[in-house]
Amino acid sequence: MAKKGWDEFEIGAMLRTFNGKIDDIAGTRQENRDYSENSSYTASVADWRLIKPVFNKDYCIDCQFCWVYCPDVSIISRDQKLIGIDMDHCKGCGICVEVCPTNPKSLLMFPEQADEETEIASWPKKDEKEA
Amino acid sequence: MSEMKKIKNLKEFSTSADRFEGANLLCPGCAHSIIVREVLNATNDDMVLSASTGCLEVCTAVYPYTSWDASWIHIGFENSSTAVAGAESMYKALKKKGRLKQPDRNPKFVSFAGDGASYDIGFQWISGCMERGHNIMHIVLDNEVYANTGGQRSSSTPIGSSATTSPAGKVSYGEKKNKKDMMTIMAAHGIPYAAQVSPNKWKDMVKKIQHGFAVEGPVFINAVSPCTTEWKFDPKDTMHLADLATDSLVFPLYEIIDGRELNITYRPKNVVPVEEYLAAQGRFKHLFKDEYKYLIKEWQERVDANWAYLQRREEARV
Amino acid sequence: MAFDKMELREIEVWDGNFAAAQALRQAQVDVVAAYPITPSTPIVEGYAQFTADGYVEGEFVMVESEHAAMSACIGAAAAGGRVATATSSQGLALMSETLYQASGMRLPVVLNLVNRALAAPLNVNGDHSDMYMIRDSGWVQFDAFCPQEVYDLNLIAFRVSEDHGVRLPAIVNQDGFMTSHTAQGVKPLSDDAAYAFVGQYKPMNDMLDFEHPVTHGVQTEEDWHFEHKARQHNDLMTKVMPKIESVFAEFAQLTGRKYTPVEKYDMDDADVCVVCLGTSVETAREVAKEMRAQGIKAGVVGLRVIRPFPFFQIADALKGVKAIATLDRSSPNGAAGMLFNEVAGALFNTDTKALLSGYIYGLGGRDLTKAHLVALFKELQANVDAGKVTTQLQQFIGVRGPKLAFL
């Protein structure tokens, strides 16, 4: 964000989360909220990542462990289904992979540069030992 | 009184619209934000939040960004409890005077603070809030160290932990004092609800937070928050550490109602040896030298004694 | 919930503390969070009694320390309503961390500061050490010389502090014991007239507006901090004084009581004058009149507004004076004295080339006697006659032992 001069911002270093008014925050999904430029939702920490999670929906059972344990609100669940990963906010911690209970896992970590389609095409098979 | 949010299972919970945002500056794998999300998603009511100076505060409101979708205030290190108590007092005043802008809401007043900001520097402020009976919830994000400033010991730091101001060295095994028992101190204020929670047990957490929101009066919550940076474990293992904490009974999950009635809310099927919990963390690495192994034994004895004490209190209903 | 109004006489006999408590009651403060400390305790006790007797509808929160008092005030102010408290001395010292938070977050709070010495050694009596300690904390600071002014300035302080162009907390100073515990005639407004003057609180950036969530108390480092502090200073320098003057004018219309940022007494033709604060202003006025009978054209300047410092107003008030004494009631501990420095700064680039000397007096409640002031005015006249300062620039008056003078 552009660095503003002393006369260009709200007094008291106060920040507003949304542009204008919001009626029911808890009942409004992120994509339907009018975030202001001051909400960190509009920022990205993608450059923190060295490794990234890749989601393979073929094995996902929508248990939502990854959703509840993601520290960065980066597992996108809608209507009780995991639909993707918010790569602007994911810091690549790998918790989602650790807590994924399926066999093989529905989420795996790969180098940041890895191609998602290639990795999904060569996804590991079921681990018989673990099963 | 607003209706309590119905959360039967994790699938239902996952329909929550988060009011805490990513691209905050907390470390990858930080348990603080997992706890915050579970707390905030436990209700659909409006919230007024505060935070004491600490990791959560400095990482979620760095100008020009805020990660909070509810009104939030930070004043200082010691006073998040009193800050939100002031806001709660204003709410009561404006309600009486008929000047609330949205009088139909049922806001929840929640203060977040680290163990340093709660067990140490903010102790008096929290005690004052508990004694006065404000309708607030104070939540400790207990990572047993001053993590924000680089790992200095607090009165929550357990025996044998190597912190920067109680380091392990040639002639020292690190922290010498046992962790302060905040739960019973807070419960002794006669508050309606005090509970220890852990983010891995999300359902236990949500139930306790909802109970806390439902009662009138001050609520104290101690949440174990495994710290990848200061406990020294891989960020991906945060929930594994939380599992070890609850299942070794180092962090037993229980609640105290009205300062007296103690209920254990989680009994692990297979209790994990404390040694496993310690071994998973770099801050206890030195305890595995021969000369300090007796400390591990003592650790186990302490944890067993505490578990026995909690069970006796639960049975005795005192 | 209803609350009762109080019938007041045209002239009440109130001390400064009770005058403050009455003003807070009439302003219908939404949250008072406070902690007792001598000599401001009776403000808190008075307000507690009003609450117990059903005259207060707002919340009265007795907290466990002064730091908590201001912390709760800040939380309450950020939530969006009228907030006030009172303290003194060590209490102010304990809350000083949060004073910067209140001003930095631009939250209106009215603080009655009943001036008292700072330990060590411990002392409960009046001097201005506490007032001086937090003078750069970003609060607007008024100074009352008597109980009537305590009452008036409280009502005025809410108007200034809560104005959306100002949004800065305000302190109303009064001398410990000399004002706070000395009953005098006070002409109050009726409850209705007082509240009509203060007006209903108008929220801004309020946390309790759930349709517009706000974040207060952010972190700024080297890339933003300077701009925010600059903004606050700018508003103190450009917006506060015009607002104070317009509220003073409105108050004068309502009550006939006229205030100015710098109060001048017998200054039109004065050769010599003192610049001082608090109850000393009234003592100095009396002595100045007596000096005139002795042929010394003496005057007095009292600061009604200490922050923002009335730089130009004080230069104007001192225009044409030949010798000035600043009276600082706080140990400067290794410097010349706050008033000495501020007055010197205000005059330095002007055509007024007066002889300036400073006096340290009254620490820990030591009396400033008329005899002290007679001697002081005579010294100033001697300076005028000699065309130079004939004494050292800084002198202690009223202290036992060998004469103490420096610079």
Side-chain angles (χ1 to χ4, degrees):
Chain A
M1 194 184 305
K3 300 256 168 80
K4 292 175 176 174
W6 65 265
D7 56 338
E8 295 177 293
F9 43 69
E10 294 260 12
I11 59 167
M14 190 275 306
L15 296 173
R16 286 188 188 286
T17 310
F18 302 110
N19 295 317
K21 127 180 207 232
I22 184 156
D23 282 326
D24 174 18
I25 306 165
T28 309
R29 312 271 1 166
Q30 286 171 313
E31 55 271 27
N32 299 322
R33 296 174 182 168
D34 186 7
Y35 288 103
S36 79
E37 61 174 359
N38 298 116
S39 170
S40 70
Y41 182 77
T42 65
S44 173
V45 285
D47 59 353
W48 288 29
R49 268 193 320 267
L50 298 174
I51 49 174
K52 67 178 178 187
V54 173
F55 171 52
N56 187 335
K57 68 178 186 316
D58 291 348
Y59 300 103
C60 179
I61 56 171
D62 293 310
C63 68
Q64 306 297 341
F65 282 148
C66 56
W67 173 83
V68 74
Y69 296 133
C70 174
D72 293 303
V73 208
S74 297
I75 301 293
I76 307 169
S77 277
R78 293 294 179 266
D79 301 325
Q80 309 192 3
K81 301 231 177 301
L82 201 172
I83 59 169
I85 299 167
D86 177 347
M87 296 311 281
D88 285 333
H89 298 143
C90 171
K91 294 170 187 160
C93 69
I95 289 178
C96 54
V97 172
E98 289 300 306
V99 300
C100 179
T102 62
N103 184 0
K105 284 184 183 287
S106 322
L107 287 152
L108 286 172
M109 299 304 287
F110 293 96
E112 182 63 21
Q113 299 76 15
D115 176 59
E116 200 172 313
E117 283 177 28
T118 315
E119 300 300 347
I120 289 177
S122 58
W123 203 260
K125 298 288 173 251
K126 186 171 173 175
D127 184 339
E128 297 296 343
K129 273 186 298 191
E130 205 179 290
Chain B
M1 191 79 215
S2 56
E3 237 173 78
M4 199 169 303
K5 184 172 173 180
K6 288 190 181 61
I7 305 166
K8 282 204 299 284
N9 52 44
L10 194 44
K11 286 197 181 201
E12 243 179 52
F13 198 28
S14 76
T15 62
S16 306
D18 275 284
R19 281 177 280 177
F20 179 70
E21 298 298 344
N24 56 60
L25 306 181
L26 289 159
C27 299
C30 178
H32 279 12
S33 44
I34 305 172
I35 297 163
V36 167
R37 287 188 60 221
E38 289 178 12
V39 170
L40 267 52
N41 286 332
T43 180
N44 284 331
D45 283 330
D46 290 288
M47 308 190 95
V48 176
L49 308 170
S50 70
S52 277
T53 310
C55 288
L56 183 71
E57 173 269 323
V58 301
C59 293
T60 61
V62 182
Y63 202 87
Y65 291 109
T66 175
S67 302
W68 300 94
D69 297 352
S71 280
W72 182 94
I73 187 169
H74 156 253
I75 306 176
F77 202 171
E78 61 289 85
N79 54 8
S80 64
S81 54
T82 314
V84 95
E88 180 255 7
S89 300
M90 183 56 73
Y91 174 77
K92 275 190 200 152
L94 297 187
K95 192 172 184 180
K96 272 190 280 187
K97 295 185 177 193
R99 284 190 8 236
L100 288 168
K101 285 182 179 171
Q102 298 105 22
D104 53 326
R105 312 288 182 106
N106 287 285
K108 305 291 182 265
F109 295 85
V110 180
S111 145
F112 291 102
D115 50 282
S118 302
Y119 287 54
D120 291 345
I121 195 169
F123 188 71
Q124 172 185 317
W125 286 255
I126 298 165
S127 177
C129 286
M130 297 290 140
E131 173 269 320
R132 289 192 298 274
H134 294 282
N135 205 15
I136 65 164
M137 178 183 286
H138 182 82
I139 300 178
V140 184
L141 302 165
D142 183 7
N143 54 20
E144 303 189 320
V145 73
Y146 288 95
N148 182 46
T149 45
Q152 297 78 27
R153 64 88 62 183
S154 77
S155 58
S156 175
T157 304
I159 290 181
S161 177
S162 183
T164 60
T165 51
S166 61
K170 278 180 192 160
V171 296
S172 176
Y173 57 77
E175 176 60 31
K176 301 288 187 299
K177 321 253 179 358
N178 208 357
K179 182 185 172 88
K180 187 189 268 185
D181 183 359
M182 258 312 249
M183 274 289 288
T184 55
I185 296 170
M186 286 298 130
H189 287 74
I191 54 174
Y193 196 61
Q196 182 146 283
V197 298
S198 180
N200 56 323
K201 301 296 173 194
W202 70 267
K203 204 167 184 177
D204 179 77
M205 165 96 77
V206 165
K207 205 175 152 198
K208 286 170 175 167
I209 298 298
Q210 290 192 333
H211 184 116
F213 285 153
V215 299
E216 278 290 320
V219 170
F220 177 81
I221 303 284
N222 198 66
V224 56
S225 187
C227 176
T228 164
T229 309
E230 298 302 336
W231 293 17
K232 299 185 172 61
F233 60 81
D234 194 299
K236 72 179 170 40
D237 292 328
T238 302
M239 299 323 294
H240 177 56
L241 259 296
D243 285 342
L244 288 173
T246 53
D247 290 16
S248 65
L249 300 172
V250 170
F251 275 91
L253 301 185
Y254 64 102
E255 61 189 10
I256 304 175
I257 293 168
D258 296 331
R260 305 190 72 81
E261 184 188 330
L262 188 148
N263 301 309
I264 293 169
T265 59
Y266 171 67
R267 288 179 168 76
K269 282 194 193 83
N270 302 305
V271 176
V272 174
V274 172
E275 187 170 351
E276 264 185 53
Y277 169 74
L278 301 175
Q281 307 171 53
R283 62 175 172 155
F284 296 116
K285 195 171 70 182
H286 54 285
L287 297 186
F288 290 83
K289 289 182 197 160
D290 284 343
E291 67 261 41
Y292 292 139
K293 281 200 172 152
Y294 73 97
L295 287 165
I296 298 175
K297 190 167 155 277
E298 287 179 9
W299 250 99
Q300 185 67 58
E301 287 162 6
R302 257 196 321 278
V303 168
D304 291 347
N306 186 50
W307 184 239
Y309 162 77
L310 293 176
Q311 292 187 98
R312 281 201 306 278
R313 264 194 73 172
E314 184 182 44
E315 281 162 25
R317 317 304 287 165
V318 290
Chain C
M1 203 175 97
F3 65 103
D4 289 336
K5 288 179 184 168
M6 201 176 272
E7 288 294 324
L8 299 173
R9 285 174 297 233
E10 194 189 338
I11 299 178
E12 294 279 350
V13 182
W14 290 346
D15 62 22
N17 277 334
F18 200 66
Q22 284 283 11
L24 299 189
R25 181 189 62 78
Q26 290 188 320
Q28 297 182 25
V29 178
D30 296 310
V31 174
V32 170
Y35 186 81
I37 181 170
T38 304
S40 65
T41 300
I43 298 178
V44 183
E45 290 173 336
Y47 196 79
Q49 193 63 52
F50 293 148
T51 307
D53 291 339
Y55 293 111
V56 170
E57 195 179 22
E59 285 290 302
F60 173 61
V61 190
M62 274 308 298
V63 294
E64 80 289 348
S65 76
E66 289 88 354
H67 192 291
M70 188 50 64
S71 302
C73 283
I74 291 168
R82 183 162 293 150
V83 175
T85 188
T87 196
S88 294
S89 179
Q90 312 301 130
L92 186 81
L94 185 57
M95 67 167 64
S96 62
E97 179 199 21
T98 52
L99 296 177
Y100 282 77
Q101 316 272 19
S103 62
M105 285 190 239
R106 305 296 295 268
L107 298 172
V109 178
V110 170
L111 166 61
N112 276 279
L113 180 58
V114 182
N115 301 128
R116 166 185 154 183
L118 283 167
L122 190 62
N123 177 296
V124 297
N125 284 291
D127 73 24
H128 296 147
S129 306
D130 51 4
M131 174 206 292
Y132 281 21
M133 179 179 61
I134 48 83
R135 65 180 190 261
D136 292 347
S137 63
W139 285 57
V140 178
Q141 284 211 56
F142 296 99
D143 191 32
F145 313 152
C146 65
Q148 178 73 61
E149 296 170 2
V150 171
Y151 173 81
D152 293 348
L153 289 173
N154 262 278
L155 301 179
I156 287 163
F158 284 112
R159 284 286 304 276
V160 173
S161 175
E162 293 171 4
D163 182 82
H164 284 196
V166 173
R167 290 282 293 188
L168 284 160
I171 288 171
V172 178
N173 288 286
Q174 58 172 302
D175 278 358
F177 293 105
M178 294 294 285
T179 301
S180 69
H181 287 63
T182 305
Q184 293 183 3
V186 173
K187 289 183 183 169
L189 294 166
S190 71
D191 282 11
D192 287 341
Y195 188 68
F197 174 76
V198 178
Q200 185 172 306
Y201 183 87
K202 292 183 189 66
M204 179 179 179
N205 303 340
D206 44 330
M207 293 204 295
L208 291 176
D209 180 355
F210 301 110
E211 291 170 347
H212 300 89
V214 287
T215 291
H216 283 287
V218 296
Q219 177 100 352
T220 61
E221 290 304 338
E222 70 287 352
D223 51 350
W224 285 97
H225 190 82
F226 199 175
E227 281 71 26
H228 285 290
K229 289 290 188 188
R231 172 66 169 270
Q232 185 177 329
H233 179 70
N234 173 74
D235 294 357
L236 272 156
M237 294 300 278
T238 63
K239 295 185 175 173
V240 178
M241 204 58 97
K243 184 66 199 175
I244 289 175
E245 286 180 322
S246 85
V247 177
F248 278 171
E250 212 180 304
F251 192 78
Q253 281 219 317
L254 181 67
T255 65
R257 294 192 287 276
K258 293 193 177 88
Y259 293 109
T260 52
V262 172
E263 305 287 9
K264 298 183 286 183
Y265 308 98
D266 299 325
M267 286 301 292
D268 287 345
D269 62 344
D271 287 335
V272 298
C273 77
V274 298
V275 181
C276 58
L277 297 165
T279 46
S280 304
V281 175
E282 296 197 338
T283 315
R285 282 176 67 185
E286 204 176 305
V287 176
K289 281 204 171 60
E290 291 172 16
M291 297 318 291
R292 282 182 175 258
Q294 294 179 33
I296 295 176
K297 287 202 266 179
V300 176
V301 169
L303 263 65
R304 182 67 65 208
V305 179
I306 302 162
R307 283 293 184 274
F309 188 76
F311 193 85
F312 296 112
Q313 292 91 332
I314 200 144
D316 188 60
L318 297 171
K319 201 161 56 183
V321 178
K322 293 171 185 157
I324 304 161
T326 53
L327 268 62
D328 279 299
R329 196 170 196 167
S330 172
S331 172
N333 283 320
M338 186 275 273
L339 280 179
F340 182 94
N341 291 340
E342 297 280 17
V343 167
L347 291 178
F348 191 78
N349 289 307
T350 69
D351 293 331
T352 304
K353 299 300 173 203
L355 301 163
L356 180 65
S357 50
Y359 294 81
I360 309 299
Y361 78 102
L363 302 191
R366 178 67 49 85
D367 278 343
L368 177 70
T369 65
K370 286 171 72 174
H372 289 139
L373 284 158
V374 168
L376 191 153
F377 276 119
K378 283 182 178 165
E379 273 182 6
L380 294 185
Q381 187 60 50
N383 291 348
V384 174
D385 295 343
K388 60 177 187 180
V389 178
T390 56
T391 60
Q392 283 178 280
L393 292 181
Q394 181 185 63
Q395 298 182 73
F396 277 56
I397 50 178
V399 68
R400 288 188 303 276
K403 170 90 179 165
L404 209 50
F406 307 94
L407 304 175

